[in-house]
Amino acid sequence: GACTVIVDGRRINSCLTLAVMQQHAEVTTIEGLGTPDNLHPLQAAFIKHDGYQCGYCTPGQICSSVAVLKEIADGIPSHVSSDLLEQPTRHADEIRERMSGNICRCGAYANILAAIEDYAEGQTS
């Protein structure tokens, strides 16, 4: 949850890898997505939809969300994809399944989903 980062475009749990294993990789953390003065649109959507309460899981939720939407756009299926050979669609069940590893102790899941869907509506792919 809190330790999700994006490594070479794929989301991983930073707590389950050694930094030396990613020596030549492109690593994106929440700080690489946006700053308080220049928010990533997904960060703004989390604020708009109250997608956080305590804030502990929020960086990982947002990093994971960015990668989840790219996975869908890239045609990578999930356990709930209806056809493994077809382009997955960007719908609530697909997003929920892909985000299921990101735990929120406060239970803001509905708001997190709303933020992701709001942001995704503005995406072209």
Side-chain angles (χ1 to χ4, degrees):
C3 62
T4 303
V5 297
I6 304 168
V7 176
D8 289 336
R10 303 289 307 265
R11 57 198 170 113
I12 69 164
N13 291 334
S14 61
C15 60
L16 299 178
T17 190
L18 299 173
V20 69
M21 296 167 63
Q22 311 304 334
Q23 184 173 0
H24 300 291
E26 179 183 336
V27 178
T28 304
T29 65
I30 191 68
E31 292 82 5
L33 289 177
T35 66
D37 295 329
N38 185 24
L39 294 176
H40 184 281
L42 191 50
Q43 290 173 310
F46 265 66
I47 293 169
K48 175 182 174 185
H49 292 279
D50 295 323
Y52 61 92
Q53 287 183 37
C54 75
Y56 178 76
C57 75
T58 308
Q61 296 278 3
I62 292 173
C63 285
S64 193
S65 300
V66 169
V68 157
L69 294 172
K70 183 169 183 341
E71 287 171 12
I72 295 170
D74 289 347
I76 299 170
S78 79
H79 291 294
V80 299
S81 298
S82 58
D83 186 334
L84 299 181
L85 301 176
E86 295 290 323
Q87 173 73 32
T89 58
R90 196 173 52 210
H91 59 80
D93 287 342
E94 195 73 60
I95 294 169
R96 279 192 201 99
E97 167 63 24
R98 293 169 192 263
M99 292 295 294
S100 64
N102 289 78
I103 307 301
C104 171
R105 290 185 60 159
C106 301
Y109 296 114
N111 297 359
I112 290 168
L113 177 61
I116 296 168
E117 290 178 322
D118 188 6
Y119 166 73
E121 285 179 14
Q123 303 304 295
T124 56
S125 58

